[in-house]
Amino acid sequence: MDTLEFRVVPPDPELEAWIEDCPGVQAVVEIRVNGREIVPVLREIEMAYDPRIAGAYGHLTPGELYPELAGALASGDAAALLCCDGCGFIGCWSVYVHVHEDGEAVCWDGFEHNHRDWAYPLAFRFEKRAYAEAMEVLKGCIF
């Protein structure tokens, strides 16, 4: 099984240009799968498509990411994992993942970009109990 960690960190103005317009934002979430932050993983894949814009993502706040993932798991739909690094809006420049249960696992697959037809050969399976614990940690960081 894969491992998932939500690391709540202060926003880095060099990585999240949008933070200048949102001075009240105190924290964003780095998504770590198997110990690796998701943005560099996506950047590696996207370099084959367009190196100028590969990995140009900002991190969501806990209050944005938690409902995205919880709602997707409940409905079987897709969740935005990241936002545009320039404006911070979900949907401006995002990667979405389909979230669903499969036996004793929660699966992330069907990764897709909302503005590009790029293939993401990624699929992750998280043990259901560990996924629920990670989500509770994330939920507890909403302020």
Side-chain angles (χ1 to χ4, degrees):
M1 292 274 180
D2 296 292
T3 61
L4 176 66
E5 176 188 6
F6 299 115
R7 191 171 290 177
V8 179
V9 299
D12 181 345
E14 291 187 29
L15 301 175
E16 336 272 359
W18 59 268
I19 201 66
E20 293 178 18
D21 296 328
C22 301
V25 174
Q26 300 173 4
V28 295
V29 183
E30 290 181 352
I31 300 168
R32 295 186 172 274
V33 177
N34 300 326
R36 287 193 69 201
E37 211 269 318
I38 197 81
V39 173
V41 172
L42 297 172
R43 182 180 298 115
E44 288 174 11
I45 294 167
E46 294 172 358
M47 287 295 287
Y49 296 104
D50 192 337
R52 295 173 301 114
I53 56 176
Y57 302 106
H59 298 92
L60 299 177
T61 66
E64 293 168 322
L65 184 58
Y66 179 82
E68 281 285 320
L69 291 172
L73 181 60
S75 67
D77 289 336
L81 294 179
L82 303 158
C83 63
C84 172
D85 66 345
C87 71
F89 291 117
I90 294 173
C92 174
W93 190 256
S94 301
V95 169
Y96 289 80
V97 64
H98 291 269
V99 182
H100 58 93
E101 290 186 24
D102 181 15
E104 289 302 310
V106 174
C107 303
W108 284 9
D109 54 29
F111 284 74
E112 57 192 0
H113 195 284
N114 66 324
H115 291 297
R116 297 289 187 265
D117 189 21
W118 294 344
Y120 295 92
L122 300 171
F124 302 110
R125 290 175 54 82
F126 308 107
E127 193 272 323
K128 196 181 290 186
R129 181 189 51 76
Y131 189 87
E133 289 172 4
M135 288 291 288
E136 282 301 311
V137 169
L138 181 60
K139 183 179 179 183
C141 294
I142 298 172
F143 43 85

